[in-house]
Amino acid sequence: MLNLKSETSVYKTFPYAEKGIIRSKKGRSQYNIPRKIAMYIAQKCGDYRLKGIADAFGLAHYGGASSAIHHASETIKIDTQLMNRINSIINRFDP
């Protein structure tokens, strides 16, 4: 199983999301940006493949990981404050 170091860093930046990062509520309407960010960081910094990320986050198909990562990427482009928070997480991996 994939050991995502990004989980702990995301918890530190988004402490309210600790229980929702690995397990997600079912349905498309659920908005869980910390979970999506953890997947985004796993791919960008951890160099993990979508299948490994999907397995680690309990997704049935890697398409869900792809969609979550794309959503996080698009959100980051328009939210500079969020981008700064994510950069602080990334810097913990590669100071």
Side-chain angles (χ1 to χ4, degrees), residues 24-40:
S24 178
K25 293 181 180 177
K26 301 292 182 200
R28 289 179 165 256
S29 65
Q30 299 301 324
Y31 185 77
N32 190 344
I33 194 67
R35 177 180 167 86
K36 293 174 183 178
I37 290 170
M39 290 184 210
Y40 172 85

Side-chain angles (χ1 to χ4, degrees), residues 15-27:
Y16 57 87
E18 185 168 351
K19 293 181 179 167
I21 289 182
I22 295 300
R23 280 179 251 111
S24 178
K25 293 181 180 177
K26 301 292 182 200

